Amino acid sequence: MSFLPGTASLLDELDKKLMVLLRDGRTLIGYLRSVDQFANLVLHRTIERIHVGNEFGDIQRGVFIVRGENVVLLGEIDDERDAGSRLVEVSVEDILDAQRREQEARQEREKRLAKALKERGLTYLPDLTHDDLF
């Protein structure tokens, strides 16, 4: 198939195993079953992969519909390279606990930064997105 600009080029990816990075930071891995003109995706046998450091855990999600505007990055998974990864798979409970600890540490760092900036007469605005501004 010749290259078509825009979402039409996603037709070549149908029935392939893809990794999709969402705007909210989540990572989904699943088989692309459908795509439309707005780049809305239907993923089948989807897992949500959570990374913390060199560990990861997979949560089974099944069929997942993703609005095209929420897709940041999309790419095909190479199973051979995935198998040779240096990441260590842990249980869902362990990765969720590690993620919670990581988020708490990030919040504590942001709190200290906000306090230090406030002492200097500055304001800290964490993680502003376009949607937060309007």
Side-chain angles (χ1 to χ4, degrees):
M1 176 182 265
S2 64
F3 177 77
L4 299 170
T7 59
S9 62
L10 287 174
L11 294 175
D12 288 340
E13 305 303 320
L14 284 175
D15 298 324
K16 292 183 181 175
K17 189 175 184 180
L18 301 180
M19 185 276 309
V20 180
L21 179 64
L22 301 180
R23 221 168 53 167
D24 65 3
R26 289 184 292 167
T27 301
L28 303 175
I29 298 173
Y31 292 90
L32 183 64
R33 297 300 186 211
S34 183
V35 62
D36 67 10
Q37 71 270 25
F38 303 108
N40 296 319
L41 310 174
V42 176
L43 298 174
H44 181 244
R45 295 178 42 199
T46 307
I47 60 167
E48 180 179 348
R49 180 161 287 175
I50 299 173
H51 296 91
V52 178
N54 66 340
E55 298 179 334
F56 75 93
D58 291 339
I59 302 172
Q60 299 295 323
R61 297 294 188 197
V63 175
F64 215 90
I65 299 172
V66 181
R67 273 183 78 132
E69 66 183 21
N70 292 317
V71 175
V72 173
L73 181 71
L74 180 139
E76 187 175 355
I77 295 287
D78 183 351
D79 285 326
E80 291 176 17
R81 286 191 78 186
D82 194 32
S85 171
R86 294 187 188 122
L87 296 175
V88 178
E89 185 170 7
V90 298
S91 71
V92 172
E93 294 80 17
D94 289 344
I95 201 66
L96 290 173
D97 188 48
Q99 183 184 46
R100 180 189 50 77
R101 288 192 313 268
E102 182 182 61
Q103 288 171 346
E104 287 171 354
R106 184 180 313 115
Q107 288 173 348
E108 185 60 34
R109 284 192 306 272
E110 287 181 356
K111 200 173 171 182
R112 287 194 311 267
L113 177 60
K115 182 179 178 186
L117 289 173
K118 185 176 181 182
E119 290 170 354
R120 291 166 178 80
L122 301 171
T123 302
Y124 175 64
L125 301 173
D127 298 329
L128 275 185
T129 64
H130 181 271
D131 295 337
D132 294 329
L133 297 174
F134 299 99

